[in-house]
Structure formats: structure tokens, C-alpha cells
Amino acid sequence: MSRHELDARRMLCPMPVIKTQNKVKGLSVGDILDVVCTDPGALSDIPAWARIHGHEVIETAEKEGEIIITVAVKS
Amino acid sequence: MAQQHKAIALISGGLDSMLAVRVLQEQGIEVEGINFYTGFCVEGHTHAIRNQDKEKEKRNNALWVAEQLGIKLHIVDVIQDYKEVLLNPKHGYGANMNPCLDCKIFMVNKAVEWVKENHEDGFDFIITGEVIGQRPMSQRKKTMPIVAAESGADDILLRPLCAKNLPATKPELEGWVDRKKLFDFSGRGRKPQMALAAKYGFTDYASPAGGCCFLTDKNYSDKLVDLWKGRGSRDYEMDDIMLLKVGRHLRPKGDYKLIIARDAGESQYLEGYRKQYMSIQAVSHNGPLALIDGDITPEDHEHAASIVARYGQGRDADEVEMTFTVPGQPVQNLHITPLSMEQVLEDWHV
Ligand code: SF4
């Protein structure tokens, strides 16, 4: 189990989702991914993507214009 | 037990592909979705940069559709490869800069390639929500076989909503899918689709007016053509296509264009580009951030600043202090008189 970070700053949706999807492909069940982005659209898109693919968003946080979405890889 | 067959569906986020998937799910076919991101796609929140749109529901329609259908969705970035389609479409453009027929061929071909690369998942065929006659360019009876042939999908491309109007495909001939339970929709009318949506209990689906992307939009297409003209070459980068969606675009001279934010949301968005682009902003008054795309001579700095000042709170002041920033150079302070409404010429607006 390891923790990773993905820089999706300044990308507009769906790019943060695409980057998340591609990154998660290389991770293992139990890994955690922090996606750092600036497009608020990611707040609905990444959780929707996670639900569809059986992963879990365990936390979302916003600070100084940045959004951090934490995804637990489940499948 | 009969072998379970699996299809990959092109999901645009609209109703037709949603229905096409459900029709096959009803026949016990396992479906996964694929969505191609060209950079020009219209998503629910593409406009969310603007303040006035902040309250609108933000959702990506393709993801939403997939969730409603209970299918996986693979989103593929095709931005680079799509350039060739847009810049040199073999079958030409539609009413605007939309190369719909080439685009369809390209996407189905990408789906074919994707299936090959993901062979272990064992997809047997490809489906789309196409309906004969639905779109003037790409979805005509004549073009349906062209898409199948030129994409390389041939007889594994099934269009469940209009299959009965077309020759039987492999999934039908092999009995994986019951052709009798497919449809014969045709024409521009939406009634049969809406009736089927009601039958399946689909409400709240997206119905993009012109098409699935910005290229069907006249204003957007005009801006794209202007960009090529201004640069003297038909090419674009991702940043270009994003910036065409933002702000007011004015071209006071052939060589450069101003991208002026229309509200605080857009100013904030353009902020992110200040390291790459020259920029202008008022300091003595509130005003929008503007980027400069192209080459501007130092003699034109003041003129450009006086145009931008026109869109800020200092528009009626005798003098406004503005900053002109060239990335990597010291900021230049300019004291200018904003142009009047009449001086900002109509032909500058892209
Ligand atoms: S509207 Fe845009 S995305 Fe849709 S087929 Fe035409 S060019 Fe392709």
C-alpha cells in the first residue's frame, strides 16, 4: 500500500479524470492517490468516475484555490 | 450456458448512445463505454469558468450517462491525433468547422484500436447511438457504410437504434444480438428516442443542440479560423483551444489578438496563463485581465492597454494606470486614456 500524488493543476475537465484514470491503472488495490487540481468540475467528475469503476473518494479538501481529491484504489 | 458477449459503446453523453447501450443491456450483452476527448467536447461545466455559470450543475455528461447505465467508462485523450482530423478532413466540414464524418470514422477506428490493445477484456463488437438521417453530415444512409469501412470496424459495428435499416452485422448474424429487438429509427425527429427514453425511465438527459462539440458552434469556429489566419498557419495547441472558450476576443491588428476576461472568474482563469502570454491589467481601477496572443510591437502597447481599459471600471476616467507584462521581463507601467465605445471597432471583435 502506497500513497501517490497527481498534479492536475490548471487542467480543465475531463483532463483531471483522464489523468486519474491512467494513473490508477498503474496502482494496486489499497493504494491512495491524492489528485491536486484547480478545476472545480473535478469535484463532481472524479467521484463519479470513482463510483463507476469501484474506487472510493475518501476525502476532498480545498485550500488556496486548489482542490485535493483523495482516491482509495479498490479494484 | 450461452457465452456472454461484450460490446464497447461510443458514449458521447447524449441520449442516443445512452439508449443504444440500454437496448443491448436488455438483451443481456455486457457493455462498457468509451469516450474520446478531442479538446473540443462540450461538457456540462465547460462554461463553469464564468461567474454566471458557477451555480449551474457541473457534471460530465458521459460519466453521468455511464453511471445511469451502470457501465464502466473509459475516457481517452485523443487531442493530438484529432488534429489531423480537424486540419485535413478527407470528407470536408459541415456547416462550421465540424468535420463530423471524418470524426466519426476516427472515433470508431480509435475504438477498434482500443479493443485490440485491451484484448484481454474480450470485446466482441462496437456500438454507437447513430441514427440514419439524424445529422446532416455524418449520419446519413450513405455515410453509415463509409464509417464502418474506413474505420476498419466493418461488420462488428452495430447501431442498435437504426440497425433494421442497415444490412445485418456480425453480432446479428451470429445470433449474439436479436435483430428483431433492435430499432429502425431514422430522420431528424426525436420522438422515437424520447418514447424509448420514457420506456426506460430516463429523464434529465443532456440534449446538445448542434452536436457534441464546439466545432459545430459558429462563434467558436470563427475564432478558430481567425487564430489560423492571425498566425499564418493552420495548427493549434491545447491552450489555444481552451482560450478560444474564454473571454472576449479582439484583433486590433493582424499580428496580435487580445483575450479580455468578461468577469472575475475568467480573470482568475487567465491568471494561470500569465507566465506564457503577455498580459495587460488596470492598477488604478478594477478591470479585467487581458492576454495577448501573437506579436505586438512596443509602439502598440499603449493602444492595446487603452482598449483593455475600456472594459474596466476606469472606462470613463481621463487616465488609467495599466501594467503591461511580458513574461520574464520587468513590468511596464502605462498611463493611458481608455478608448471610447466608438473607438473600439466592431471589426476587431472576433
Ligand atoms: S459534432 Fe464534433 S464531436 Fe460530434 S461528430 Fe461532429 S465533429 Fe465529431
Side-chain angles (χ1 to χ4, degrees):
Chain A
M1 198 187 114
S2 50
R3 190 158 190 145
H4 305 258
E5 188 180 302
L6 176 69
D7 181 2
R9 292 176 184 91
R10 283 193 46 223
M11 286 178 193
L12 289 182
C13 279
M15 284 314 291
V17 183
I18 297 176
K19 295 282 173 196
T20 304
Q21 163 194 277
N22 296 350
K23 177 86 186 174
V24 165
K25 261 187 208 143
L27 301 181
S28 314
V29 175
D31 285 354
I32 302 285
L33 179 66
D34 294 305
V35 186
V36 187
C37 42
T38 44
D39 181 356
L43 281 170
S44 73
D45 289 1
I46 292 178
W49 172 85
R51 286 194 298 275
I52 290 170
H53 290 269
H55 307 298
E56 192 187 348
V57 170
I58 49 176
E59 203 185 337
T60 57
E62 286 191 68
K63 69 168 185 237
E64 292 155 22
E66 290 190 347
I67 299 157
I68 302 156
I69 301 171
T70 306
V71 182
V73 180
K74 295 265 166 126
S75 61
Chain B
M1 206 183 99
Q3 191 200 337
Q4 162 119 55
H5 290 280
K6 218 167 150 181
I8 188 88
L10 264 67
I11 300 288
S12 64
L15 177 61
D16 293 358
S17 46
M18 189 177 184
L19 291 172
V21 172
R22 179 48 56 87
V23 168
L24 287 202
Q25 285 178 320
E26 295 270 301
Q27 294 204 25
I29 302 289
E30 190 185 336
V31 185
E32 290 189 16
I34 193 161
N35 172 263
F36 296 104
Y37 182 57
T38 63
F40 297 98
C41 310
V42 180
E43 297 102 42
H45 48 62
T46 304
H47 300 285
I49 300 165
R50 289 197 79 172
N51 286 357
Q52 65 189 60
D53 300 319
K54 286 269 191 291
E55 297 312 313
K56 278 197 197 148
E57 193 186 358
K58 299 185 183 88
R59 78 176 188 203
N60 173 299
N61 285 318
L63 283 168
W64 181 83
V65 161
E67 198 169 9
Q68 299 303 305
L69 293 165
I71 63 171
K72 284 190 174 167
L73 179 74
H74 310 276
I75 312 182
V76 185
D77 166 2
V78 291
I79 296 167
Q80 280 307 321
D81 291 351
Y82 191 73
K83 275 192 185 178
E84 186 51 30
V85 179
L86 173 57
L87 297 174
N88 300 304
K90 182 176 156 196
H91 299 280
Y93 298 100
N96 294 297
M97 290 305 291
N98 49 312
C100 289
L101 183 49
D102 289 84
C103 176
K104 264 275 137 62
I105 295 167
F106 169 81
M107 289 189 182
V108 175
N109 171 263
K110 281 277 165 198
V112 173
E113 279 179 10
W114 189 89
V115 165
K116 276 189 197 141
E117 279 162 26
N118 294 269
H119 191 65
E120 73 274 19
D121 290 323
F123 290 95
D124 303 296
F125 59 105
I126 298 167
I127 63 169
T128 71
E130 288 167 290
V131 168
I132 290 176
Q134 182 77 206
R135 300 243 182 254
M137 185 178 188
S138 56
Q139 300 187 26
R140 285 178 289 136
K141 187 143 191 169
K142 234 172 65 195
T143 60
M144 296 274 169
I146 298 179
V147 175
E150 293 190 12
S151 65
D154 294 316
D155 65 345
I156 59 156
L157 176 60
L158 175 68
R159 287 95 164 193
L161 302 186
C162 63
K164 280 182 171 167
N165 296 326
L166 294 167
T169 58
K170 189 173 178 191
E172 297 157 279
L173 294 169
E174 297 280 331
W176 307 338
V177 168
D178 183 352
R179 182 172 166 95
K180 289 197 293 298
K181 292 185 187 150
L182 302 178
F183 292 87
D184 59 356
F185 297 171
S186 74
R188 299 199 63 127
R190 304 286 301 157
K191 285 215 177 100
Q193 282 97 318
M194 282 153 81
L196 194 58
K199 182 182 154 204
Y200 291 143
F202 295 157
T203 52
D204 193 26
Y205 43 81
S207 35
C212 18
C213 82
F214 273 103
L215 296 170
T216 57
D217 182 83
K218 175 155 187 344
N219 287 334
Y220 190 89
S221 291
D222 288 349
K223 285 186 197 162
L224 185 62
V225 173
D226 166 81
L227 180 91
W228 291 338
K229 226 171 102 192
R231 293 194 181 158
S233 79
R234 278 162 52 90
D235 196 7
Y236 60 87
E237 294 305 323
M238 187 63 187
D239 283 341
D240 296 323
I241 52 184
M242 287 298 146
L243 288 172
L244 292 183
K245 297 175 190 169
V246 188
R248 202 186 298 282
H249 291 230
L250 276 81
R251 187 178 289 283
K253 273 203 169 169
D255 294 347
Y256 81 91
K257 170 175 86 165
L258 292 165
I259 303 168
I260 308 173
R262 289 169 293 189
D263 58 32
E266 288 195 340
S267 281
Q268 197 191 353
Y269 180 73
L270 294 183
E271 245 336 295
Y273 286 92
R274 283 183 94 168
K275 286 199 184 99
Q276 287 155 265
Y277 288 80
M278 289 184 266
S279 57
I280 303 178
Q281 192 160 35
V283 281
S284 56
H285 298 76
N286 279 334
L289 176 63
L291 300 183
I292 294 167
D293 180 55
D295 296 323
I296 182 169
T297 57
E299 300 79 65
D300 282 331
H301 287 192
E302 288 199 358
H303 186 240
S306 62
I307 299 171
V308 177
R310 160 83 233 140
Y311 295 95
Q313 284 178 3
R315 62 177 68 88
D316 299 318
D318 293 333
E319 189 182 276
V320 176
E321 186 181 352
M322 310 283 289
T323 53
F324 193 105
T325 313
V326 180
Q329 291 182 22
V331 176
Q332 184 188 3
N333 278 61
L334 302 170
H335 295 264
I336 50 87
T337 308
L339 290 195
S340 67
M341 188 74 120
E342 296 73 44
Q343 286 169 311
V344 176
L345 300 180
E346 199 42 51
D347 334 336
W348 295 348
H349 290 267
V350 180

